[in-house]
């Protein structure tokens, strides 16, 4: 895998797009990424990792501040990584999520993270994936490295060199697990532990089940007394023998013998139940027979008593029978007698009605010689002509009101016609006045566009004048801050120059302080040092670095202050230009005048619309009045004609009413008097005729009654009426007679059958039969309970024995399976006989670690001039902790091994570098033997002395073999001198960093 090109924009310290061409360093094979601390050297590696994997290791577990803080809201954030692998040449473009201005509605919105993958073909760049999940899948197949593996074999990131070397066994195992994907072995261990636990629980549960069921069966046998049927001494001996039984099969055999005794006992109890049931049935039959005879005896005695009572009632039944016969004979006379009574009552009522009608007629004092009916008909004919007059009399007030309404209508029509004429004459004057006013308003409204521009210009001048006042104050303050920052920067620069001069002056003393008698001088090579220089004013490199940081900070503050002052100066000039020489007071006065003028124009425009609407309304009104003129004239003529007709109708009605009244005040009174007389005359005539008809009907009904009475057995009407009975009474008499006869026959039949059975006269006693039946039933119920209990005991005991035997038969298989699983689980988990406490995953990783150590030692031998070698240690850890992944350092000078923590800083870096390179080789081999053509190493060289640094440089030179390109991140000056190909990351005075190639 080889990196070709990197483009970064809006990422980390880089705001503008920065481009790195890695192919430019292919001929050199090694290049240096240099720059001041904090400039952004490691951000180049962060960009590569983010472009390929979407994440940055330094932000794992924290806030992912990927977007540059120097970006403006509209700036984009993007990383483009171009690389080649065995599958071809590819380009990844990735953007993080960041806020951006919303396109609609204002405010900010989130720009979603985006990524795309392209492949270069003969036709150019062709897209392969555009979704995050699809790109990740494609890159997994192309790179064949996870992010952890990539960071270990290609990006040897800052502060991760010594992590693997100095890590404990647990931390080293976690790192190797991520690199080699051995989580599956831990999963195997977990699965075997789960299976062992399940098997142990199953075996324990089965053994507990067997014990519980055997115990329950033994308790059941003891409760039922089934251990033996001998004497008490024999039972005690059997109990002692059972207590000596310790194995489950022996206990099951004893239970099976007890089961045989239980079966015998159940059969015997079942036979006893059958015999008891037969005896109980026989006793129940005797009791039933005795009860039946007692019931028949009681029924016989009751029938005798009832028959005697019915014989005693015979005289009263004969009287009832005679009463019923007379009632039935008189029933034939009921209708004639009732008809005669009704006729007499009707005659009496008709006679009373005639007297009342005659009295009412006589109150009128009218003498009539002829027939009353004829007189009434003549009066009705005469009053018929008065009905029309009566109706007109009732409507007389309404007719007067209609006449007044017609007169008012004539007046209203005349007034409307006059008002219309006056309004038609006044409309032309109103239209002329509104037209003049409308034209004046329109001329004012036509200037509102110019007035609006004038208002906007005055408003802009007012804002500019106010901004100028504010910016003038801010600029004065910024100039003061700039002067102070310039003074501070000059002081820091002076301090740095003095420190450098002191360090140069004391360089001889610093070299002399490291001289040792008998050893060569690094400057002249002499072994004698007669007059070494004194180191009286020491200045260390850290002091210089601190002063440089202070100088850089002061420079940054001065740059920011200068930028602020310059921007405020430009803003002030722009504001004064926009203000056009106006003061704030002048601009405010001009703005108010412009606002008032524009407001008048807006009001005039609204007034024009109002006046146009009024003129249109007046024109419509004039046209409407013209159309109404003919309607008003026609309405006036029609109302006058209606008035004439109503006047004639009222006069005719008054004449007809006067004729109909006669001598009465009103027509209604005359009609009422005539109607009353006619009604009384008719009532008298009808009452006289009704009395005559009722007298004739009475005579006919009495004649028919007397004839029927003469043919009957009764002497007179009173005797016949006394014998009459209602239908209900006759039915009751008949029912009483029939019931007596039926009941007497029924009781005689019952008594006849019972007398034939020769029952005893003394009362029958049921007590002996009931006591015998109860005793037999109790004996049977007890036998049933005993049989059920014995059968249940036998069945329950049989079930417990079978279940316990079946469970016991399966415990052997479960125990064998548990022993196998326990042995496997303990072996895999590093328990039991595994004295090293090395789990399966640790064992696999230990083999990988041995290869890593072997690969690392090939470089560490040269880098340490044969002194150090790494060894894999599987020594047992303290306090029984897991072991197998230890690393110790073998020191050839002492012949002893020691822990890596005992190495010095430079030795730790060289050893960590050798181990990291060995780890990269093994991980690469495990990833399918992919070719690594690009490698980055971040920091760590500052802890090396000159000789060791040369050794490290020779190691880096060896890494270039095979066309590999190695990038080294360091701020060590010696490396800058030895590596001519460099990428320099430099922070600009404005803050963002840029990347320069040399």
């Amino acid at each position: 895998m080889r990196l070709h090109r990197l483009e970064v924009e809006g990422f980390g310290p880089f705001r503008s797009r920065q481009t790195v061409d890695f192919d430019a360093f292919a001929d050199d094979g090694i290049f240096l990424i240099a720059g001041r601390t904090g400039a952004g050297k490691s951000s180049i590696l962060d960009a590569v990792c983010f472009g390929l994997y979407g994440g940055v290791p330094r932000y794992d577990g924290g806030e992912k501040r990927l977007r540059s803080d120097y970006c403006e809201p509209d700036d984009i954030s993007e990383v483009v990584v171009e690389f080649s692998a065995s599958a071809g040449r590819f380009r990844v473009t990735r953007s993080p999520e960041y806020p951006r201005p919303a396109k609609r509605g204002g405010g900010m919105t989130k720009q979603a993270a985006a990524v795309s993958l392209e492949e270069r073909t003969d036709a150019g760049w062709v897209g392969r994936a555009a979704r995050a999940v699809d790109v990740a899948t494609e890159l997994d197949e192309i790179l064949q490295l996870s992010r952890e593996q990539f960071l270990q074999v290609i990006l040897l990131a800052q502060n991760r060199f010594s992590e693997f070397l100095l890590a404990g066994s647990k931390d080293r195992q976690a790192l190797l697990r991520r690199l080699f994907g051995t989580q599956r072995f831990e999963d195997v261990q977990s699965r075997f532990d789960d299976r062992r636990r399940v098997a142990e629980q199953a075996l324990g549960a089965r053994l507990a089940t067997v014990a519980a069921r055997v115990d329950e069966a033994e308790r059941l046998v003891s409760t039922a007394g089934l251990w033996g049927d001998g004497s008490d001494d024999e039972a005690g001996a059997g109990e002692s023998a059972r207590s000596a039984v310790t194995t489950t099969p022996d206990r099951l055999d004893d239970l099976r013998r007890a089961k045989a005794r239980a079966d015998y006992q159940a059969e015997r109890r079942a036979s006893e139940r059958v015999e008891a049931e037969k005896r109980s049935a026989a006793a129940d039959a005797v009791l039933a027979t005795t009860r039946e005879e007692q019931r028949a005896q009681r029924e016989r005695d009751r029938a005798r008593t009832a028959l005697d009572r019915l014989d005693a009632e015979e005289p009263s039944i004969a009287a009832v029978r005679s009463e019923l016969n007379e009632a039935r004979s008189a029933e034939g006379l009921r209708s004639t007698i009732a008809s005669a009574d009704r006729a007499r009552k009707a005659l009496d009522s008709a006679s009373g009605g005639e007297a009342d009608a005659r009295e009412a007629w006589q109150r009128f004092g009218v003498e009539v010689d002829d027939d009353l009916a004829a007189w009434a008909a003549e009066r009705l004919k005469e009053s018929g002509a008065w009905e029309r007059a009566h109706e007109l009399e009732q409507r007389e007030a309404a007719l007067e009101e209609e006449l007044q309404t017609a007169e008012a209508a004539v007046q209203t029509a005349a007034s409307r016609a006059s008002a219309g004429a006056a309004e038609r004459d006044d409309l032309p004057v109103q239209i002329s006045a509104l037209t003049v006013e409308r034209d004046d308003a329109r001329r004012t409204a036509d200037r509102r566009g110019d007035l609006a521009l004038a208002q906007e210009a005055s408003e802009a001048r007012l804002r500019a004048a106010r901004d100028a006042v504010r910016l003038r104050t801010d600029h004065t303050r910024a100039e003061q801050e700039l002067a102070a920052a310039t003074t501070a920067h000059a002081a820091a620069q002076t301090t740095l120059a003095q420190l450098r001069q002191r360090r140069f002056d004391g360089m001889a003393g610093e070299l002399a302080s490291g001289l040792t008698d008998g050893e060569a001088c690094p400057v002249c090579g002499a072994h004698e040092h007669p007059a070494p220089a004194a180191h009286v004013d020491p200045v260390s490199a850290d002091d210089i670095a601190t002063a440089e940081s202070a100088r850089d900070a002061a420079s940054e503050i001065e740059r920011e202050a200068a930028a602020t002052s310059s921007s405020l100066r430009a803003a002030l000039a722009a504001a004064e230009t926009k203000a056009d020489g106006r003061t704030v007071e002048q601009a405010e006065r001009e703005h108010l005048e412009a606002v008032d003028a524009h407001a008048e124009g807006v009001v005039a425009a609204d007034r024009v619309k109002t006046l146009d609407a009024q003129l249109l309304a007046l024109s419509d009104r004039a046209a409407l009045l013209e159309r109404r003129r003919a309607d008003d004239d026609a309405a006036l003529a029609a109302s006058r004609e209606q008035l004439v007709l109503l006047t004639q109708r009222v006069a005719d009605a008054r004449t007809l009413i006067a004729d109909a009244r006669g001598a009465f005040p009103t027509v209604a009174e005359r009609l009422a008097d005539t109607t009353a007389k006619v009604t009384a005359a008719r009532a008298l005539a009808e009452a006289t005729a009704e009395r005559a008809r009722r007298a004739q009907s009475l005579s006919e009904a009495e004649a028919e009654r007397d004839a029927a009475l003469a043919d009957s057995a009764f002497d007179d009407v009173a005797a016949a009426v006394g014998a009459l009975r209602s239908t209900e009474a006759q039915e009751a008499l008949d029912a009483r007679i029939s019931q007596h006869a039926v009941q007497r026959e029924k009781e005689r039949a019952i008594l006849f059958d019972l007398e034939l059975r020769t029952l005893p006269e003394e009362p029958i006693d049921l007590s002996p039969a009931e006591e015998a039946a109860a005793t037999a039933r109790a004996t049977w119920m007890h036998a049933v309970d005993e049989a059920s209990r014995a059968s249940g005991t036998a069945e329950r005991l049989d079930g417990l024995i079978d279940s316990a035997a079946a469970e016991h038969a399966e415990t052997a298989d479960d125990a064998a399976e548990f022993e196998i699983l326990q042995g496997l689980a303990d072996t895999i988990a590093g328990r039991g006989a595994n004295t090293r406490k090395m789990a399966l995953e640790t064992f696999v990783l230990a083999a990988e670690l041995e290869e890593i150590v072997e690969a690392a030692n090939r470089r560490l031998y040269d880098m340490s001039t044969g002194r150090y070698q790494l060894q894999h240690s599987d020594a047992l850890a303290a306090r029984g902790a897991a072991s197998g992944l230890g690393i110790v350092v073998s020191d050839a000078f002492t012949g002893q091994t020691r822990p890596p923590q005992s190495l010095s800083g430079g030795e730790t870096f060289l050893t960590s570098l050798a181990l990291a390179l060995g780890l990269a080789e093994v991980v690469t081999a495990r990833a399918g033997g992919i070719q690594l053509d690009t490698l980055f190493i971040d920091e760590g060289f500052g802890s090396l002395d000159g000789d060791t640094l040369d050794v490290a440089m020779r190691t880096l030179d060896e890494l270039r073999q095979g066309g590999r390109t190695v990038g080294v991140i360091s701020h060590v000056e010696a490396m800058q001198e030895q590596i001519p190909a460099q990428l320099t990351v430099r922070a600009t005075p404005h803050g963002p960093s840029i990347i320069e190639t040399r």
Side-chain angles (χ1 to χ4, degrees), residues 762-813:
E762 296 80 8
I764 298 174
D765 187 9
L766 293 177
S767 299
E770 289 178 345
E771 291 177 359
T775 302
R777 178 169 292 277
T779 303
W780 173 62
M781 293 298 295
H782 178 71
V784 169
D785 292 341
E786 290 295 326
S788 299
R789 188 178 299 108
S791 176
T793 300
E795 293 177 359
R796 177 62 177 160
L797 187 58
D798 184 54
L800 290 173
I801 293 172
D802 291 344
S803 176
E807 292 289 339
H808 180 68
E810 295 181 2
T811 54
D813 296 337

Side-chain angles (χ1 to χ4, degrees), residues 557-776:
I557 294 173
E558 180 186 16
R559 181 194 61 76
E560 292 178 355
T564 301
S565 176
S566 177
S567 61
L568 288 174
R569 187 183 303 109
L572 176 60
E576 290 176 345
T577 301
K578 291 180 180 178
D580 197 16
R582 267 78 162 180
T583 64
V584 174
E585 292 77 9
Q586 292 174 342
E588 288 178 347
R589 185 171 57 256
E590 291 179 357
H591 180 61
L592 291 175
E593 293 174 354
V595 169
D596 294 340
H598 180 259
E600 291 177 359
V602 173
V603 171
D606 296 337
R607 182 62 179 164
V608 167
K609 295 179 181 178
T610 302
L611 293 174
D612 285 338
Q614 292 177 0
L615 285 173
L616 180 60
L618 290 177
S619 299
D620 294 341
R621 182 64 180 171
L624 178 62
L625 291 176
E626 287 296 329
R627 290 194 300 272
R628 285 181 177 177
R629 175 187 295 178
D631 296 339
D632 293 343
D633 294 341
L636 180 59
S639 61
R640 287 174 176 172
E641 182 178 357
Q642 183 67 21
L643 178 60
V644 172
L645 292 175
L646 283 175
T647 302
Q648 184 62 39
R649 285 175 57 192
V650 169
D652 295 342
R654 288 173 178 171
T655 300
L656 182 60
I657 292 170
D659 293 342
R661 285 176 181 172
F664 291 89
T666 64
V667 177
E669 293 180 3
R670 188 175 184 182
L671 280 173
D673 180 72
T674 302
T675 301
K677 290 177 180 180
V678 169
T679 302
R682 284 183 173 180
L684 179 58
E686 292 176 356
T688 301
E690 179 66 17
R691 182 190 58 75
R693 287 194 300 271
R694 294 302 180 186
Q696 179 65 30
S697 297
L698 176 61
S699 176
E700 294 174 354
E702 288 179 345
E704 183 179 1
R705 180 197 64 189
D706 293 341
L709 186 63
D711 295 336
S712 68
F714 298 99
D715 297 335
D716 53 18
V717 175
V721 172
L724 285 173
R725 296 289 184 272
S726 65
T727 304
E728 292 80 5
Q730 293 182 33
E731 291 177 353
L733 293 173
D734 187 40
R736 182 178 177 186
I737 295 169
S738 300
Q739 182 180 6
H740 181 271
V742 171
Q743 187 67 25
R744 192 167 183 278
E745 291 299 324
K746 178 181 177 182
E747 295 297 340
R748 290 181 62 186
I750 293 173
L751 184 59
F752 179 78
D753 292 336
L754 293 176
E755 292 289 357
L756 294 177
R757 296 179 60 176
T758 65
L759 296 172
E761 295 298 328
E762 296 80 8
I764 298 174
D765 187 9
L766 293 177
S767 299
E770 289 178 345
E771 291 177 359
T775 302

Side-chain angles (χ1 to χ4, degrees), residues 23 56 94 257 340 399-400 430 485 513 532 611 658 672 680-681 801 806 808 812 832 849 986:
D23 290 341
V56 176
R94 192 185 297 269
R257 288 189 290 273
L399 290 173
E400 289 293 338
Q430 296 181 21
S513 63
L611 293 174
I801 293 172
H808 180 68
L849 183 59
R986 181 175 59 86

Side-chain angles (χ1 to χ4, degrees), residues 409-450:
V410 171
Q411 294 177 0
T412 301
S415 299
R416 185 165 59 248
S418 300
E423 187 176 0
R424 285 194 300 274
D425 294 339
D426 187 54
L427 280 178
V429 178
Q430 296 181 21
I431 291 174
S432 177
L434 286 176
T435 301
V436 173
E437 184 179 358
R438 190 269 315 273
D439 294 341
D440 292 340
R442 179 171 293 169
R443 283 190 292 271
T444 302
D446 290 342
R447 298 179 54 247
R448 65 181 183 275
D450 297 336

